[in-house]
Each structure stands twice: as C-alpha cells, then as structure tokens.
Amino acid sequence: MIEIIDSHTHIDTAPFDPDREEVIERALAAGVTTMINIGASEGFLSNDRSIALAEKYDCIYATAGIHPHDAEVEIDRGRLVELAKHPKVVAIGETGLDFFRDWSPQDLQYKWFRLQIEIAHEVKKPLIIHSRSAGEQCYEILKEMEAEKVGGVFHCFAEDAQFAKKLAQINFLVSFPGPVTFKKSEDVRTVVKEVPLEQIMVETDAPYLAPEPFRGRRCEPAHTIHTAKKIAEVKEIPFEQCARILSQTTRDFFKI
Ligand SMILES: [Zn+2]
Ligand SMILES: [Zn+2]
C-alpha cells in the first residue's frame, strides 16, 4: 500500500472546525496515513489543541513550540518543557526566525528560538524550523548550539540546493509544500531535482498553500499526495518508489 505522511499541518486551527473529522477521513482514504500537527500558532493555544488531537487519533502526532510570529508571548519555559515531553509530541517547533513579515521583534524571536533549541536538546527531539528571509541567521544559531545532535527540518523550504547541502551537514532535512506543483515554480522544482530524495519530506502547511489542482482553496492533508506525485515526476522515478522513500525518511525523522 502506498503511504504518504504530511510532515507539517495545522488542522487544529479554526478553518477546520466545521469538518475536521471528514478532513482526517479524506486524508486516510487518500493514503495520507499519518499527519504531524504543528503545535505552534496562537501562542500556547495550538499546543494544547494539537496534543488533544494526537491523543484522540492514532494517525496524528503533535509538535510543541512557539511560532516566531508569536514571539511576544510571555516565556513559560516550564510549560513548554512539559508539553515537549508528551509521548505523542515528536518534535519541537515550529520555531525559527521570520524577517520577511517581521510581525514580532527580532530580539524576542531570537530568544524563543534559542530556548526551543535548548529544549530540543533536553528532550532529545528534532526541530521544525520556520525560516523566512533568515536562512543564514537560522543556520548560524543551529550550528552554534550544536543542533546537529537533535536534527531538524526547514519546512516550506525556500532556499537553494547549496543551502540544503549545508543543512545536510548539520543533520537537517528540507520539506516541500504544495507550490512545488505550481506552473511558475520552476526554480523550486530545480531545487527538488538537486537535493537528494533522502533529505526531503513533504507537507501541506494546511490550511495554506494548496497544491494544484486545488490552488487558492483551503488546503488539507489529503492534498499531500499531489505534492508527492510532483516530486516523483521531478525525480523521474515511479510514484510508489518515491512515496516509500519519503515515508521512510519521515518515519525515521520523527521516530514513528
Ligand atoms: Zn512556518
Ligand atoms: Zn506551519
């Protein structure tokens, strides 16, 4: 059986309130057997919601963290460590730096980022990195704080293949979302082509970034299939083989 894992989704959020159950059923029916629900949005709120989902559904795992957009949330280290230790929490984040939107002060973004790397070491779980217009800055901190010991992934990867190579050396993967399927995303597909398949995961980042043919609509985990198919096409290998390698990488990464 073909299986695909959505390595980064936000189905705990409000856009899924009306039909969350159906969304999960559609994912399973499409072959998306497992979903990693990212517990970082709306401060600590989404951490609690993610863990509740992971407790309710075998096919869902959670992460614990504070998003760089939420860096102004009061720092509660003890609470975050407690969440991070939950048996169904498989990674820390998403955390990192976002200098593109710059919705929160940079010094606070750095503070939370460093704290979450520290916690990743403490609980021995990998990091989910959100980096926009801040690739080098993220890389420097990860290197300095020896994040290669826990590993991690740059989600919605937007840098070039050269940068992915640097990341491989510190034990980091890259993850691609739906836009890889867009007609005009030729440069992203070039990166997909050059990065070894074993360093790649797929994601939806739902509710955003729906792949073709759903572009512009609400994205949901079932759509991960379309992104994975495009990656197989770019890599010029059968979809089944591509799916097997993507899933194995993702299972190894999250230890699930
Ligand atoms: Zn993100
Ligand atoms: Zn996200």
Side-chain angles (χ1 to χ4, degrees):
M1 196 195 99
I2 287 180
E3 78 152 359
I4 286 291
I5 299 171
D6 184 353
S7 75
H8 189 120
T9 190
H10 296 272
I11 57 169
D12 63 293
T13 55
F16 296 101
D17 284 347
D19 61 346
R20 190 167 291 108
E21 191 86 42
E22 285 95 322
V23 165
I24 294 166
E25 277 166 22
R26 271 200 296 278
L28 295 175
V32 179
T33 59
T34 308
M35 291 149 258
I36 312 297
N37 198 82
I38 304 300
S41 51
E42 299 169 61
F44 277 94
L45 264 184
S46 133
N47 284 313
D48 295 332
R49 292 194 308 243
S50 288
I51 290 175
L53 270 177
E55 283 174 344
K56 185 170 175 192
Y57 297 96
D58 287 344
C59 60
I60 297 178
Y61 293 86
T63 73
I66 296 292
H67 198 286
H69 292 161
D70 290 336
E72 281 173 283
V73 168
E74 203 183 319
I75 291 191
D76 186 342
R77 191 186 199 284
R79 180 148 179 234
L80 195 53
V81 170
E82 198 180 310
L83 293 165
K85 284 182 176 162
H86 188 286
K88 281 207 85 179
V89 166
V90 291
I92 307 306
E94 58 189 288
T95 177
L97 303 168
D98 192 323
F99 298 157
F100 180 72
R101 296 209 194 271
D102 240 342
W103 280 341
S104 47
Q106 294 193 0
D107 58 329
L108 290 175
Q109 292 192 38
Y110 274 109
K111 216 170 189 169
W112 270 110
F113 187 25
R114 288 179 178 279
L115 176 74
Q116 287 173 85
I117 300 171
E118 233 175 79
I119 292 174
H121 278 296
E122 209 168 309
V123 300
K124 297 188 172 61
K125 292 179 184 177
L127 287 152
I128 312 280
I129 305 299
H130 170 106
S131 157
R132 283 199 76 185
S133 309
E136 284 301 330
Q137 290 92 329
C138 285
Y139 175 80
E140 284 309 318
I141 293 178
L142 292 168
K143 214 172 146 66
E144 174 204 318
M145 295 186 70
E146 299 182 351
E148 75 272 9
K149 287 182 184 158
V150 289
V153 59
F154 272 57
H155 101 95
C156 285
F157 188 63
E159 311 284 337
D160 59 14
Q162 204 54 37
F163 190 73
K165 211 174 206 173
K166 264 168 63 169
L167 292 181
Q169 283 157 5
I170 60 163
N171 196 19
F172 271 65
L173 307 178
V174 300
S175 173
F176 292 100
V180 104
T181 63
F182 296 172
K183 201 159 179 256
K184 284 192 173 149
S185 298
E186 210 43 70
D187 43 345
V188 184
R189 283 190 289 276
T190 307
V191 180
V192 170
K193 180 117 195 131
E194 288 174 23
V195 175
L197 184 54
E198 290 71 18
Q199 198 191 345
I200 292 176
M201 298 198 287
V202 279
E203 65 174 286
T204 53
D205 204 17
Y208 309 111
L209 307 176
E212 295 291 0
F214 308 102
R215 186 171 183 177
R217 313 225 306 256
R218 182 188 70 173
C219 184
E220 58 176 68
H223 298 167
T224 323
I225 297 285
H226 298 269
T227 306
K229 279 193 172 147
K230 183 55 81 178
I231 286 174
E233 200 183 301
V234 173
K235 290 292 192 190
E236 297 178 61
I237 57 171
F239 175 56
E240 278 170 45
Q241 184 188 350
C242 184
R244 200 167 52 240
I245 296 169
L246 287 171
S247 301
Q248 197 53 55
T249 302
T250 310
R251 289 200 173 280
D252 291 346
F253 178 79
F254 291 110
K255 298 191 174 67
I256 53 174

